[in-house]
């Protein structure tokens, strides 16, 4: 390097750094105070206020203009940045709003949010005790609690970036346990495999089969009954048929709380089939897992303790905030680490000064991994198990109320009362003003453009479009249930 070039480098290294946020930098601190004020006013206070809009709909071209998305070479002033933060919030959907029924997650829990803010600020990765001492210990404690609710006194687990990923991990683990060679030899080590799930399963099972090289053809679709629950007799038939065709069955994925109908597969009967055929039982309880907290309703998941793995998303029914997705395992043989570990020597040195078993990063296929346990831990500490149980029970009661109110109204038809022992997690409703499948999309367009409400619709089987009502937000009241029915009537009055 020439002396001139070296001088340039040194000058560059000595140029103005990003201001430190240690209190000396008034500007940076003031910016964050202002942003936090905007978040509290616009996203939290207004974003959860029933009289405010759920969303301010704009057509994509107009929204692009309003947001001025282009990234330029010149930076902007603090005023401009604050205005941009306001705009981001203004045009985003407020999923914590009491009229947001669109997804299986909704609501804004203040304690969970506190955990999310701390997580974002500390900005660490969950992989080693060295850089995440608090969260390594906390993750294990939270997973232990969730496992205990499943009915396991020991086991393993990890927080995953989504329930879909948890399901894919379960498939990979089941395959590895049966064919450990496939870690090294890949698909060459495998006979044609078969896995089984009901027609009501989440689409991530098929995606997982494709992603893991099994192919979607390896997913055998088992019949569901009129309420959407897997038929165990058909499962057994399908297993026998697959074997007769030369495939090797290795996993059954049952669902506890299906995505559209909210059905709970009969886990005891399915576990019996798995036991008879020596198959790994995975329970996708992404939606329904939180029901385990309720003494009154946990019987819906009877038999879950017999599973080998469970996917459970506290960000759905418990409103812990995206993302909070636990994959729980009954295994105590370090299967996760054996299946996914790569022993990177720059990260997982074996001669560290502390117990290297605390470096949990090699359990997963990711390198860096978000901290997802803190939001649930803070919320649990604040609410206690009892508070969370009451929340789950309330959602059952609100859904029950909604169904009863709907039955009193002429304009609605209950497509399916997803009732198991007197309870519905989701009431599906259809505007009977017209049985045309276009009705739901028209109502949807109207509600979104007015910003008054958001609720999802879909066709299902032979059934045309209908609205799927999800009760998950812990702040919902009877008034919100009444509003839903009134608003659908109002939006559809001229149809
Ligand atoms: C039953 C079920 N499993 C898995 C998932 C996927 O979860 P995630 O969106 O966290 O990937 C969903 C999502 O709604 C679901 O309903």
């Amino acid at each position: 390097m020439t002396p001139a070039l070296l001088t340039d480098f040194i000058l560059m290294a000595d140029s103005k750094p990003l201001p430190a946020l240690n209190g000396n930098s008034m500007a940076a601190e003031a910016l964050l105070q202002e942003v936090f004020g905007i978040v509290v006013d616009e996203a939290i206070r207004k974003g959860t206020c029933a009289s405010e809009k759920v969303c301010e709909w704009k057509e994509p071209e107009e929204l692009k203009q309003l947001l001025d998305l282009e990234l330029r070479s010149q930076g902007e002033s603090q005023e401009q940045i604050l205005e941009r933060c306001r705009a981001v919030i203004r045009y985003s959907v407020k999923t914590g709003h009491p009229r947001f029924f669109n997804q299986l997650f909704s609501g804004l829990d203040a304690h969970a949010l506190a955990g999310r803010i701390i997580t974002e600020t500390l900005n660490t990765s969950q992989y080693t005790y060295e850089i995440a001492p608090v969260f390594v210990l906390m993750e294990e404690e939270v997973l232990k609690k969730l496992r205990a609710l499943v009915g396991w006194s020991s086991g393993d687990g990890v927080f995953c970036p989504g329930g879909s990923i948890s399901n894919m991990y379960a498939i990979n683990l089941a395959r590895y346990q049966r064919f450990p060679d496939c870690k090294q030899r890949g698909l060459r080590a495998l006979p044609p495999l078969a896995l089984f799930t009901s027609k009501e399963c989440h689409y991530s099972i098929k995606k997982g089969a494709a992603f893991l090289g099994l192919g979607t053809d390896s997913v055998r679709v088992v019949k569901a009954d009129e309420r959407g629950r897997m038929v165990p007799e058909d499962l057994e038939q399908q297993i026998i048929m697959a074997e007769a065709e030369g495939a090797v069955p290795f996993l059954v994925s049952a669902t506890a709380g299906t995505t559209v109908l909210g059905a709970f597969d009969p886990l005891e009967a399915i576990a019996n089939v798995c036991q008879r055929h020596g198959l790994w039982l995975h329970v996708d309880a992404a939606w329904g897992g939180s029901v385990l907290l309720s003494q009154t309703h946990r019987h819906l998941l009877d038999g879950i303790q017999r599973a080998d793995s469970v996917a459970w998303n506290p960000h759905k029914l418990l409103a812990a905030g995206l993302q909070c997705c636990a994959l729980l395992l009954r295994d105590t043989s370090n299967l996760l680490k054996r299946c996914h570990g790569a022993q990177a020597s720059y990260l997982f040195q074996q001669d560290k000064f502390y117990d290297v078993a605390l470096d949990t990063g090699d359990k997963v296929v990711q390198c860096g991994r978000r901290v997802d346990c803190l939001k649930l831990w803070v919320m649990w500490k604040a609410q206690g198990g009892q508070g969370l149980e009451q929340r789950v029970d309330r959602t059952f009661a609100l859904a029950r109320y909604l169904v009863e109110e709907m039955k009193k109204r002429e304009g609605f038809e209950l497509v399916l009362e997803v009732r198991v022992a007197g309870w519905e997690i989701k009431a599906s409703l259809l505007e009977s003003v017209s049985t045309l499948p276009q009705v739901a999309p028209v109502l949807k367009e109207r509600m979104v453009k007015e910003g008054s409400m958001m609720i999802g619709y879909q066709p299902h089987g032979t059934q045309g479009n209908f609205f799927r009502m999800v009760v998950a937000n812990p702040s919902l009241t009877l008034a919100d249930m009444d509003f839903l029915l009134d608003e659908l009537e109002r939006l559809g009055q001229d149809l």
Side-chain angles (χ1 to χ4, degrees):
M1 190 179 287
T2 64
L5 203 53
L6 186 59
T7 312
D8 282 355
F9 268 114
I10 290 168
L11 278 175
M12 171 63 75
D14 199 31
S15 64
K16 201 165 159 250
L18 193 70
L21 296 175
N22 62 5
N24 298 330
S25 165
M26 301 299 287
E29 209 177 303
L31 168 79
L32 291 175
Q33 296 279 9
E34 292 250 25
V35 170
F36 202 65
I38 294 171
V39 169
V40 171
D41 283 343
E42 305 293 326
I44 301 178
R45 201 172 291 142
K46 285 194 197 158
T48 57
C49 175
S51 58
E52 298 285 336
K53 288 184 174 187
V54 181
C55 64
E56 194 164 328
W57 170 261
K58 298 286 173 205
E59 295 296 336
E61 281 313 313
E62 188 188 355
L63 187 56
K64 275 188 202 163
Q65 296 296 321
L66 285 165
L67 295 173
D68 182 20
L69 291 170
E70 189 190 335
L71 297 172
R72 307 188 181 88
S73 54
Q74 288 297 312
E76 296 183 342
S77 71
Q78 181 149 318
E79 267 318 296
Q80 283 171 303
I81 293 303
L82 292 175
E83 204 32 62
R84 297 203 177 281
C85 293
R86 277 195 199 91
V88 166
I89 298 173
R90 185 176 315 132
Y91 300 115
S92 289
V93 173
K94 312 302 184 296
T95 63
H97 194 284
R99 276 80 202 259
F100 178 82
F101 309 111
N102 212 65
Q103 251 62 48
L104 295 181
F105 62 87
S106 63
L108 193 57
D109 180 283
H111 295 102
L113 182 59
R116 288 154 74 190
I117 292 167
I118 296 170
T119 300
E120 287 301 322
T121 311
L122 291 177
N123 190 38
T124 195
S125 168
Q126 184 77 62
Y127 42 44
T128 61
Y129 185 77
E130 195 176 322
I131 68 154
V134 173
F135 302 126
V136 164
L137 300 181
M138 186 183 286
E139 181 175 58
E140 185 40 37
E141 191 61 30
V142 174
L143 291 171
K144 193 168 127 197
K145 187 77 193 172
L146 299 181
R147 278 196 306 264
L149 286 163
V150 167
W152 298 333
S153 54
S154 58
D156 202 353
V158 74
F159 275 91
C160 292
S164 302
I165 304 293
S166 301
N167 288 341
M168 294 182 201
Y169 269 108
I171 299 173
N172 201 38
L173 288 162
R175 178 173 70 173
Y176 172 78
Q177 196 201 39
R178 188 80 173 260
F179 302 99
D181 253 13
C182 75
K183 181 173 178 184
Q184 191 178 344
R185 296 188 52 235
L187 300 181
R188 283 167 302 163
L190 298 172
L193 297 180
L195 64 121
F196 303 81
T197 190
S198 97
K199 72 192 238 311
E200 296 296 331
C201 76
H202 189 255
Y203 65 82
S204 53
I205 301 294
K206 279 204 168 158
K207 283 198 177 203
F211 187 63
L212 295 168
L214 294 167
T216 52
D217 282 354
S218 64
V219 180
R220 309 280 174 134
V221 180
V222 180
K223 282 185 195 143
D225 67 12
E226 72 295 343
R227 291 199 177 281
R229 297 171 297 203
M230 186 191 284
V231 178
E233 295 76 21
D234 189 53
L235 170 64
E236 189 136 38
Q237 278 302 313
Q238 297 265 1
I239 293 169
I240 293 166
M241 264 164 54
E243 278 171 339
E245 288 166 19
V248 177
F250 74 107
L251 167 131
V252 174
S253 179
T255 314
T258 60
T259 311
V260 176
L261 299 182
F264 287 77
D265 286 346
L267 300 180
E268 286 285 8
I270 293 170
N272 289 340
V273 176
C274 289
Q275 198 173 336
R276 273 200 290 281
H277 294 268
L279 305 184
W280 179 289
L281 173 57
H282 172 63
V283 178
D284 175 358
W287 170 228
S290 300
V291 175
L292 288 168
L293 282 151
S294 163
Q295 289 306 317
T296 315
H297 303 293
R298 60 168 290 138
H299 63 89
L300 293 169
L301 298 104
D302 276 354
I304 195 166
Q305 73 285 355
R306 297 175 65 189
D308 295 286
S309 55
V310 171
W312 173 354
N313 286 13
H315 77 233
K316 293 190 192 289
L317 197 51
L318 289 186
L322 283 163
Q323 289 179 325
C324 191
C325 307
L327 172 71
L328 307 172
L329 295 177
R330 190 144 56 97
D331 172 78
T332 51
S333 71
N334 229 358
L335 187 70
L336 265 174
K337 220 174 198 171
R338 286 188 287 121
C339 179
H340 302 119
Q343 297 90 36
S345 57
Y346 79 97
L347 200 53
F348 306 119
Q349 301 91 333
Q350 294 302 296
D351 50 2
K352 282 189 182 176
F353 56 94
Y354 58 81
D355 179 3
V356 292
L358 291 166
D359 290 352
T360 51
D362 231 9
K363 290 184 182 185
V364 293
V365 292
Q366 290 172 267
C367 176
R369 185 162 62 95
R370 277 181 65 85
V371 171
D372 283 328
C373 55
L374 179 61
K375 51 199 152 204
L376 181 56
W377 185 84
V378 179
M379 188 173 81
W380 204 306
K381 279 281 187 196
Q383 304 286 325
Q386 286 178 352
L388 297 179
E389 175 175 11
Q390 275 171 17
R391 254 189 209 188
V392 173
D393 288 346
R394 250 179 72 74
T395 62
F396 278 60
L398 282 168
R400 174 86 250 155
Y401 171 82
L402 179 69
V403 169
E404 293 309 319
E405 287 305 300
M406 196 190 321
K407 284 178 180 166
K408 293 180 195 158
R409 302 205 189 197
E410 284 203 341
F412 295 88
E413 183 189 321
L414 196 59
V415 172
L416 177 63
E417 194 168 322
V418 184
R419 173 187 289 191
V420 191
W423 167 77
E424 311 80 0
I425 200 161
K426 282 183 286 190
S428 307
L429 40 131
L430 172 79
E431 275 277 295
S432 69
V433 282
S434 164
T435 49
L436 292 174
Q438 301 92 295
V439 171
V442 170
L443 294 185
K444 178 75 183 240
E445 180 179 356
R446 290 179 181 183
M447 68 178 80
V448 171
K449 288 192 169 165
E450 286 190 26
S452 60
M453 180 167 87
M454 283 183 78
I455 175 169
Y457 74 85
Q458 68 278 293
H460 183 266
T462 55
Q463 177 74 61
N465 281 323
F466 61 90
F467 286 111
R468 173 191 73 162
M469 177 54 190
V470 180
V471 183
N473 183 343
S475 309
L476 292 181
T477 62
L478 296 182
D480 297 312
M481 300 295 103
D482 292 335
F483 175 86
L484 168 90
L485 299 176
D486 293 343
E487 186 62 3
L488 280 174
E489 274 175 355
R490 186 185 73 80
L491 291 165
Q493 63 196 352
D494 62 327
L495 292 177

